[in-house]
Amino acid sequence: MLIIVLLVVLILALLYARRVWHRRHAMNNMRQYTSRVTAQVVNAALGQLQDGTTQWHEAHLPLTPIAHTRDWGQKAIMVYEFAATGESLNNTGKAKAELQAAIDQAAHKMGIVSAAVGLSPFAVVDVWQRAQEKHFSVAFQINQSTIEYVQDITRAAEEDALKEKK
């Protein structure tokens, strides 16, 4: 009887381990896909911004993501950080808006749509200057976890802006 119970426990443990492995494998595949697509859209957007009077003059295209956010529990968040060289940012708010508009246009040209109605498929989450590099994070809003992450970050930024005004 004890042997049967141990066999059942062992089989259940193996099935659980297999499920976890498949989930990790699927998340890695999704992260590779979204990283590649995000980089394509970001580079197309930066290519559009090279000719205008924007803050996004970049001599070293194409850019590749230098980092991504980690999983939040069991949730995969598809946000990628990029670093660009060139002139320093004068106004991060304006730079963020310029980049968002160019990314929206590039995504539309590529036929990429959002996972949710009324949302842009990509969201520029943050833009900042570090030493001689412009850094920015772009979220590919392909799953609910990423959409919720972007909403939380946006809400926190708005609350911080209100506190600064007071």
Side-chain angles (χ1 to χ4, degrees):
M1 181 69 168
L2 181 62
I3 294 175
I4 293 173
V5 171
L6 290 175
L7 282 173
V8 169
V9 169
L10 179 64
I11 290 171
L12 290 175
L14 288 173
L15 289 174
Y16 180 75
R18 182 174 181 236
R19 180 176 166 208
V20 168
W21 182 84
H22 279 288
R23 179 169 172 73
R24 279 200 185 122
H25 183 69
M27 276 195 197
N28 285 339
N29 285 344
M30 184 175 182
R31 192 175 311 284
Q32 287 176 1
Y33 166 76
T34 58
S35 174
R36 186 174 61 249
V37 171
T38 303
Q40 289 172 345
V41 170
V42 164
N43 285 304
L46 288 173
Q48 293 171 7
L49 292 172
Q50 296 307 300
D51 299 331
T53 56
T54 70
Q55 300 180 67
W56 292 103
H57 296 287
E58 174 57 37
H60 303 9
L61 292 176
L63 299 180
T64 57
I66 59 172
H68 63 81
T69 58
R70 296 182 180 186
D71 296 339
W72 293 62
Q74 296 294 324
K75 299 178 179 182
I77 310 296
M78 303 300 157
V79 179
Y80 302 95
E81 180 184 334
F82 295 85
T85 57
E87 298 176 19
S88 296
L89 295 171
N90 299 328
N91 180 335
T92 56
K94 182 179 176 187
K96 183 177 178 182
E98 289 172 346
L99 185 58
Q100 182 67 58
I103 285 175
D104 287 342
Q105 187 178 14
H108 180 72
K109 283 182 182 177
M110 295 173 136
I112 301 170
V113 296
S114 176
V117 175
L119 285 179
S120 172
F122 297 92
V124 178
V125 179
D126 198 7
V127 174
W128 68 98
Q129 185 77 36
R130 182 184 303 151
Q132 302 301 89
E133 292 183 323
K134 297 177 269 197
H135 289 255
F136 57 98
S137 296
V138 178
F140 188 174
Q141 300 188 88
I142 195 169
N143 60 2
Q144 190 62 34
S145 299
T146 304
I147 292 168
E148 291 170 0
Y149 172 83
V150 170
Q151 290 170 344
D152 289 346
I153 294 297
T154 303
R155 188 177 315 115
E158 289 170 355
E159 289 173 2
D160 288 345
L162 287 175
K163 287 178 185 176
E164 287 180 9
K165 286 183 180 179
K166 291 182 179 181

